[in-house]
């Protein structure tokens, strides 16, 4: 019989030999694991083995598991050695990496913070550098999914591919792992957004199939692809039952089945009762495995409630809804508040269950609580594209919630619900500059300094989601939910009075047999609503044609010529008649006469918030049966939301001086057609009304202005100028383009350079003291939303969000000659007539319609020629311009 002491010595020798590079590592690890816990020097020996494992580390799951096992032994009895801190960092990171890959991380924020700390401890050149980076990226992905950080989710596929660079050239295993992880990130991101999964799944399968057949990551990846393909109706292939990753536990597989069931149910297309019952069973199993402290418990509770709700839809009964109500109440309590990623989803489902059961709880108030989650999520995104994705469901849920409030006879609540889902990306951009002051008021000067420094940099990446979440959690945690809530009626009334407007009107289109509505909040008097049975744009063929044409042109190429085409203008007359019949007529003829306070000395002034595709309609051109247009009875401005109305009203007015900047048709290096009338427009207006202003671009004779060619830098420098002579008015007579497909809008300036909507806010944030009174965007599509109609983020509204007091922007490709005349008259009424911006545009549009119009003496001969060669009363000539702001 072998002497135990002698056997222990032999094991020690075997381990020491392998640690020195002269023995078999696998045998040494087996010998180490056979040593009883508490054996003298066991931790030191484990640390000695850890070094060669880290030094020759390969990105293979079996080896990573070996490192994790050896590290656990060393960590239990750590050696007092100089190399141990570095080795410990590498070992711990590997443990976190494995936990990430195997979905064992409960708190991704804490785990990611630990990885960052360990990376600093390991230092540059650590043999574990590739795995540290892999862990960082994996945990970044988990954190992004947990937080709903759309910007990080979009970046993760590329960031995973950077793992190959971190590992250095020639590391085939890292290349393959990076491909699989990047493909998996694309699948998860597509699923998060409700996009088609077929193509991302194909790429993930191809990447996984390049791994060795016995690689656990290949097995796990193909298993997930097969499951998701079966759910979306594909034909699973290449995965044999029974070949599951042997390292995954029963609990892991149960959670996988629960996630698959959620994917099936959340798409709302499954009507097979047997599949729904199976999903209910899988979700019950997952919930049983999710302990009381499991961060995923709210998700599993809500998932089971969703399954029960789907069953009632298929069976047309309420059986199981009481249980769903209990599950959702617990999920809501555990989620805690708007900062939880599932807060909106949980409240939306809870509202639906309350409606079906007819409970005493008010479902519309539950839905309203959920809307705060949308605001929180949007405000924590670090770029416009991500904020737009985060806000994708907010407007739809706001409309649904508004209808619930109307059913309850509460128009004020309906207005609040609509506003809660409107323009959230724009609202987030507007609030960026105010958060620092809010943090200081909350006693967090340290965080306020970090925030203000990041804003002053003008770089969006300096305001990442982590910093945004930290700031928002402080503010909402201290009861400042007003940051997430729309303004109430008292604030709306005060804003309307400050802006000399009479009523704020939301237009809600009808759908699926339900009528449309006009929700009205007057400056004086109670809120109300009008039922609008004709406000169904999809029911009128000519209106539908206009909307399709308008939407298509919104995505037109940058080399499209100026001016609307025949098909577009041909649909305008029918559209204007419909606009009166569907909405403006009832508002003007039925509602305005009932206003408690009627304006004197000016026409009634309506501020419109058109929702959904109604944002494409030129409401000021609504036409009575007798041929008169709406602007002959009322003045119409637009606003993105009540939030933005109050934002505009709160800013002090800025007087317009005879200085400023004019940009006249810069040479775009053939990227767009020349606009000779735009040059004449800008040059003539500047000479007639703004002698002290700077003119850049091309002059009417095609020569370049001595003051500059009209570059993006010249415009940007003016926007942030602190010079008293810079003035407060910017007139841009140049090309503007908007692409909903690419989610961007821009002005095309000299040499084809672009000034984009998403750069305007960060640019003006660098000059918080800059006060700009007016920006005139006399280019095509400058008022068209680039990120969804209800988001209303455009070139024009980007300037408003950045603090510009008033903006004129356009709905469609405006005609060059007619626009030049309209813009001259606008500045005539603004400067010579001393009218406010909204009224100057209103008067200029009325002048275009007046057959007895008088031409002012200041209008130069060349512009008079343009007037003689166009029909100024044509709708396309004047109705495309919209006033926003003060």
């Amino acid at each position: 019989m072998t002497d135990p002491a002698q056997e222990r010595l032999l094991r020690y020798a075997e381990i020491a030999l392998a640690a020195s590079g002269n023995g078999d590592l696998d045998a040494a690890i087996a010998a180490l694991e056979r040593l009883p816990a508490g054996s003298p020097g066991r931790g030191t020996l484990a640390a000695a083995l850890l070094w060669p494992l880290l030094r020759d580390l390969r990105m293979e799951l079996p080896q990573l598991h070996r490192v994790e096992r050896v590290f656990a032994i060393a960590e239990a009895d750590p050696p007092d050695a100089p190399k141990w801190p570095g080795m410990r960092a590498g070992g711990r990171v590997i443990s976190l990496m494995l936990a990430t890959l195997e979905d064992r991380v409960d708190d991704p924020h804490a785990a990611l913070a630990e990885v960052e700390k360990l990376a600093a401890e390991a230092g540059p050149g650590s043999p574990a550098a590739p795995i540290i980076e892999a862990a960082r990226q994996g945990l970044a992905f988990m954190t992004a999914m947990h937080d709903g950080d759309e910007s990080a989710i979009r970046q993760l596929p590329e960031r995973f591919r950077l793992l190959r660079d971190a590992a250095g050239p020639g590391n085939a295993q890292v290349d393959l792992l990076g491909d699989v992880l990047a493909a998996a990130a694309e699948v998860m991101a597509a699923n998060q957004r409700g996009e088609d999964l077929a193509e991302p799944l194909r790429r993930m399968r191809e990447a996984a199939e390049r791994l060795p057949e016995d690689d656990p990551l290949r097995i796990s990846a193909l298993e997930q692809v097969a499951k998701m393909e079966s759910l979306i109706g594909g034909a699973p292939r290449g995965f044999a039952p029974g070949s599951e990753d042997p390292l995954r536990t029963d609990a892991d597989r149960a959670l996988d089945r629960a996630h698959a069931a959620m994917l099936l149910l959340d798409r709302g297309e499954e009507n097979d009762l047997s599949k729904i019952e199976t999903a209910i069973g899988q979700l019950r199993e997952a919930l049983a495995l999710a302990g009381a402290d499991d961060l995923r418990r709210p998700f599993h509770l809500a998932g089971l409630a969703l399954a029960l709700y789907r069953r009632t839809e298929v069976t047309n009964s309420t059986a199981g809804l009481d249980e769903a109500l209990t599950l959702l109440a617990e999920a809501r309590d555990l989620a805690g508040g708007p900062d939880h990623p599932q807060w909106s989803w949980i409240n939306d489902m809870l509202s639906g269950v309350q409606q079906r059961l007819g409970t005493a709880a008010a479902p519309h108030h539950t839905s309203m609580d959920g809307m705060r989650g949308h605001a929180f999520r949007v405000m924590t995104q670090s770029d416009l594209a991500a904020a737009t994705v985060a806000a994708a469901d907010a407007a739809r849920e706001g409309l649904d919630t508004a209808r619930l409030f109307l059913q309850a006879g509460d128009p004020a609540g309906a207005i609040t619900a609509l506003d809660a889902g409107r323009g959230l990306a724009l609202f987030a951009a507007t609030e960026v500059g105010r958060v620092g002051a809010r943090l200081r008021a909350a006693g967090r000067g340290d965080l306020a300094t970090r925030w203000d420094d990041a804003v002053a940099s003008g770089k969006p990446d300096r305001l990442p989601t982590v910093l945004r979440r930290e700031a928002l959690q402080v503010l909402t945690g201290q009861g400042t939910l007003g940051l997430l809530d729309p303004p109430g009626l008292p604030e709306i009334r005060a804003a309307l009075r400050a802006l000399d407007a009479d009523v704020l009107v939301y237009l809600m289109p009808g759908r699926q047999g339900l009528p449309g509505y006009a929700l009205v909040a007057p400056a004086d008097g109670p809120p109300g609503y009008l039922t609008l049975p004709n406000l169904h744009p999809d029911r009128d063929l000519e209106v539908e044609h206009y909307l399709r044409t308008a939407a298509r042109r919104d995505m037109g190429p940058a080399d499209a010529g100026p001016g609307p085409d025949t098909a577009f203008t041909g649909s305008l007359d029918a559209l204007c008649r419909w606009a009166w019949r569907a909405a403006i007529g009832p508002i003007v003829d039925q509602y305005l006469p009932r206003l408690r306070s009627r304006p004197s000395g000016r026409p009634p002034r309506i501020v419109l918030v058109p929702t959904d595709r109604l944002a494409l309609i030129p409401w000021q051109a609504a036409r009575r049966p007798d041929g008169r247009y709406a602007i002959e009875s009322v003045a119409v401005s637009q606003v993105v939301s009540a939030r933005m109305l109050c934002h505009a009203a709160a800013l002090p007015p800025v007087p317009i001086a005879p200085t400023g900047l004019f940009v006249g048709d810069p040479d775009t290096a053939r990227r767009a057609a020349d606009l000779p009338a735009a040059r004449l427009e800008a040059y003539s207006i500047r000479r007639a009304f703004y002698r002290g202003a700077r003119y850049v671009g091309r002059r009417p004779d095609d020569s370049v202005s001595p003051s500059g060619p009209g570059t993006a830098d010249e415009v940007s420098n003016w926007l942030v100028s602190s010079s008293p002579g810079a003035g407060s008015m910017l007139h841009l007579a140049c090309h503007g383009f908007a692409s909903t497909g690419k989610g961007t809008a821009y002005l095309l300036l000299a040499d084809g350079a672009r000034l984009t909507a998403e750069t305007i806010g960060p640019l003006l944030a660098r000059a918080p003291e800059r006060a700009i009174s007016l920006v005139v965007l006399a280019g095509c599509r400058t008022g068209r939303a680039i990120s969804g109609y209800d988001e209303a983020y455009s070139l024009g509204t980007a300037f408003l969000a950045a603090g510009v007091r008033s903006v004129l922007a356009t709905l469609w490709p405006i005609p060059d000659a007619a626009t030049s005349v309209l813009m001259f008259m606008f500045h005539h009424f603004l400067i010579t007539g001393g009218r406010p911006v909204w009224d100057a545009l209103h008067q200029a549009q009325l002048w275009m319609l007046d057959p007895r119009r008088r031409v002012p003496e200041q209008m130069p001969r060349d512009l008079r020629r343009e007037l003689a060669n166009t029909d100024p009363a044509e709708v396309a000539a004047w109705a495309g311009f919209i006033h926003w702001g003060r």
Side-chain angles (χ1 to χ4, degrees), residues 292-594:
D293 297 327
D294 193 320
L295 293 179
R296 294 167 294 187
R297 186 170 178 81
F299 174 79
H300 293 308
L301 287 162
L304 179 54
L306 172 64
L308 295 169
Y309 188 88
R310 289 278 185 259
R311 185 175 66 184
T312 67
E313 291 182 316
V314 172
T315 60
N316 195 28
S317 75
T318 59
L321 283 185
D322 286 330
E323 181 187 1
L325 195 67
T326 302
L327 293 167
L328 289 167
E330 182 185 350
R332 191 178 188 277
D333 287 344
L334 289 173
D339 61 326
H340 193 279
Q342 274 99 46
W343 179 257
S344 295
W345 178 54
I346 290 168
N347 279 277
D348 186 45
M349 283 200 296
L350 182 57
S351 173
V353 173
Q354 289 169 341
Q355 290 176 64
R356 287 288 301 275
L357 285 174
T359 62
H364 47 294
H365 289 299
T366 303
S367 290
M368 196 63 228
D369 284 342
M371 295 301 295
R372 293 191 180 106
H374 288 296
F376 188 97
R377 188 176 173 208
V378 171
M379 290 190 70
T380 54
Q381 304 302 318
S382 57
D383 60 53
L384 171 60
T388 301
V389 172
D393 294 332
R396 175 186 55 78
E397 291 186 18
L399 284 164
D400 290 344
T401 304
R403 291 184 186 278
L404 291 177
F405 274 99
L406 287 177
Q407 290 171 17
D410 185 355
I415 291 170
T416 303
L418 278 179
D419 213 73
R422 284 279 308 176
L424 290 179
L426 190 68
F427 169 65
T430 306
E431 284 295 314
V432 161
R434 303 180 182 185
V435 170
R438 291 180 184 269
L439 288 169
R440 285 190 174 85
R444 285 298 304 272
D446 57 329
L447 188 54
T449 298
R450 286 168 52 201
W451 184 277
D452 289 342
D453 288 347
V455 170
S457 73
K459 299 176 181 178
D461 59 353
R462 290 285 304 279
L463 271 172
T465 292
V466 173
L467 176 57
R468 289 171 180 258
R469 279 186 66 83
E470 186 178 357
L472 265 290
Q473 283 172 329
V474 166
L475 295 178
T476 56
Q478 295 203 2
T480 12
L481 285 176
L483 183 64
L484 305 180
D485 289 333
L489 280 173
E491 296 166 273
I492 293 174
R493 291 187 182 113
L496 288 169
R497 288 192 290 268
L499 298 174
D500 194 24
D502 299 304
V503 62
L504 178 69
V505 179
Y506 272 90
L507 294 178
M508 291 174 56
R511 61 181 177 87
Q512 297 176 350
L514 299 173
Y517 293 98
L519 301 179
V520 292
D524 183 19
Y529 67 94
L530 294 173
T531 302
L532 301 175
N534 294 316
L535 195 57
H536 281 266
D538 54 340
R539 288 184 182 175
D540 189 298
L541 292 179
E542 290 182 313
V543 174
E544 182 64 22
H545 170 71
Y546 163 82
L547 291 172
R548 285 200 309 271
T549 305
R552 183 171 66 250
R553 292 198 62 84
D554 184 46
M555 297 174 66
D559 58 358
D565 59 25
T566 305
F568 178 79
T569 56
S571 64
L572 284 177
D573 188 57
L575 174 78
C576 294
R577 292 196 300 270
W578 172 86
W580 181 269
R581 183 175 68 254
I584 299 300
I587 292 170
V588 171
D589 289 342
Q590 297 175 31
Y591 179 76
L592 290 184
R594 303 202 306 260

Side-chain angles (χ1 to χ4, degrees), residues 75-347:
E75 177 84 332
D77 183 20
D80 184 13
K83 286 186 177 180
W84 172 243
M87 287 192 290
R88 183 195 176 280
R92 178 59 183 151
V93 164
I94 288 167
S95 294
L96 287 168
M97 176 63 181
L98 280 170
T100 303
L101 291 172
E102 296 169 1
D103 198 21
R104 292 187 278 113
V105 175
D106 288 333
D107 187 347
H109 285 281
L112 183 58
E114 186 178 355
V115 166
E116 298 291 354
K117 181 180 177 183
L118 292 169
E121 290 176 2
S126 166
I131 204 73
I132 288 174
E133 185 60 24
R136 178 186 280 121
Q137 300 296 352
L139 284 164
F141 179 77
M142 288 189 67
T143 304
M145 294 296 288
H146 180 273
D147 294 346
D149 182 358
E150 292 291 344
S151 55
I153 291 171
R154 290 187 306 105
Q155 295 163 8
L156 278 167
E158 180 59 29
R159 291 178 66 181
F160 276 135
R161 292 190 177 98
L162 294 177
L163 287 172
R164 288 172 289 195
D165 298 335
N171 193 328
Q173 186 68 22
V174 172
D175 286 346
L176 292 174
L177 178 63
D179 287 343
V180 173
L181 292 176
E186 290 173 1
V187 170
M188 295 178 76
N191 182 49
Q192 181 93 344
R193 300 183 192 117
E195 298 170 353
D196 184 21
L197 298 178
E199 184 59 23
L201 282 171
R202 183 190 65 77
R203 288 195 293 269
M204 183 174 171
R205 173 181 292 284
E206 290 179 352
E209 287 176 341
R210 292 197 295 271
L211 289 169
E213 290 191 4
D214 59 349
D215 190 304
L217 182 60
R218 171 194 169 104
I219 295 170
S220 177
L222 290 178
E223 179 183 358
Q224 298 307 314
V225 170
K227 287 177 180 176
M228 297 188 80
E229 282 178 337
S230 68
L231 290 171
I232 64 172
R237 56 185 178 81
F239 175 73
S243 61
E244 289 94 345
D245 179 358
L247 298 174
R248 295 181 69 75
T249 67
D250 289 342
D252 294 331
R253 296 189 183 96
L255 292 176
D256 284 345
R257 290 192 293 271
H259 290 152
M262 278 298 304
L263 176 65
L264 175 77
L265 296 166
D266 201 36
R267 292 179 177 253
E269 299 169 355
E270 185 52 65
N271 295 316
D272 187 324
L273 184 58
S274 64
K275 289 184 179 180
I276 294 174
E277 292 289 2
T278 299
I280 289 173
Q282 291 168 340
L283 288 159
R284 288 194 190 282
E285 183 182 7
L287 180 58
L289 291 166
D293 297 327
D294 193 320
L295 293 179
R296 294 167 294 187
R297 186 170 178 81
F299 174 79
H300 293 308
L301 287 162
L304 179 54
L306 172 64
L308 295 169
Y309 188 88
R310 289 278 185 259
R311 185 175 66 184
T312 67
E313 291 182 316
V314 172
T315 60
N316 195 28
S317 75
T318 59
L321 283 185
D322 286 330
E323 181 187 1
L325 195 67
T326 302
L327 293 167
L328 289 167
E330 182 185 350
R332 191 178 188 277
D333 287 344
L334 289 173
D339 61 326
H340 193 279
Q342 274 99 46
W343 179 257
S344 295
W345 178 54
I346 290 168
N347 279 277

Side-chain angles (χ1 to χ4, degrees), residues 603-667:
R605 185 178 172 211
I606 301 171
V607 181
L608 280 180
V609 187
T611 63
D612 199 69
R613 292 198 300 169
L614 299 180
L616 297 174
I617 307 293
W619 296 103
Q620 65 274 18
R623 196 169 190 179
R624 290 177 179 271
D626 64 6
R628 295 172 61 230
Y629 289 99
I631 63 165
E632 297 178 72
S633 303
V634 296
V636 179
S637 296
Q638 285 196 20
V639 70
V640 173
S641 62
R643 282 181 171 120
M644 295 304 297
L645 177 84
C646 294
H647 168 70
L651 296 172
V654 176
I656 295 179
T659 55
L661 179 67
F662 282 82
V663 180
D665 188 30
D667 186 345

